[in-house]
Amino acid sequence: MNGLDTIRECMTDFLCRQGISALTAWPDSGRVKPQQAVAAVSVRRCEGGPSGFQDYLGERYNSATGRWEELYGKQLTVTFALDLYASRTDGAAACQTIFDTLANALQQGGPVGLTVQSFCQGEVRYDEKSGLFCCPVEAVCKCFLYAVADEGGQFLDFELKGVRV
Amino acid sequence: MTKTFPTLLSRYGQMVHLHGEGAQEDTLCMAFLQAVPDRREEQRVPTPLGLAWQKRFLYLGHPGGDLNALGDKGYISWKGGRYRVRTAHLVYVGQQANHWWAMLEPMEEAQV
């Protein structure tokens, strides 16, 4: 199982808890007209890198099984797209307002398991086809993706640090 | 022409409901409302905010139903469907307003 399965949902839930209207981008359901400016969360880029010798992170003792487990993992840099959308009625200023709230939320650390390194905002533009103002926003986060192996070397599980999937 | 169009409307048109923005009163009027078929495009396309309709409807309506007065939040309803005005123009024949020409799109449901 890929521990990155729910990473978008983690960011979406975090933003919603901070009072920001957010949804996971590209849903299969029909588009609803946002009552206020909304952030669409997706992963724009994900890069993995070594974090230990041959990805070996060390051992931990599992008291439940009474066995030692080996940990292997990578450090990931995930660039989230948090593009903001506002209706024509709300105007471009609504994008800036929601970005201010989003920036405050990201400065406080971000979701559990993800460390926000930086974030940036692009220029607001109007999409005539959708009738919405759009403001591109990116947030770069770091996290660890590691796997647990038993004493025989068989991998038992994959975890995103701070999030069990 | 100016007498022909109302006759055609009354005989072959559809009764539509114009819903104005805010406290404006709603208006009933006759119009031709038909889907604009386009085999090149899909009806619904994915967008970051969900599946969006690409379907368009042509509106030819009575000159008495002022579409510009609907406002940004106004809409037209017909047979249970609601439609937003993308563009609207009042067409004149000679010195007399003959009909409203408009392009409509299905209205998205407002998020609760």
Side-chain angles (χ1 to χ4, degrees), chain A residues 21 23-35 38-40 85 88-89 128-132, chain B residues 21 41 44-54 56 72-73 84 86 105 107-112:
Chain A
S21 181
L23 57 86
T24 305
W26 308 99
D28 291 331
S29 55
R31 188 173 75 180
V32 293
K33 181 180 178 181
Q35 294 285 64
V38 62
Y85 295 89
R88 183 174 176 175
T89 307
E128 189 174 350
K129 197 166 187 178
S130 65
L132 297 172
Chain B
E21 185 175 346
E41 290 186 341
R44 300 186 87 179
V45 293
T47 73
L49 299 185
L51 296 174
W53 285 104
Q54 291 209 117
R56 297 289 179 262
D72 287 343
K73 295 185 178 180
R84 188 176 72 90
R86 284 186 64 88
E105 63 180 6
M107 195 168 163
E108 294 157 347
E109 291 300 320
Q111 191 173 32
V112 174

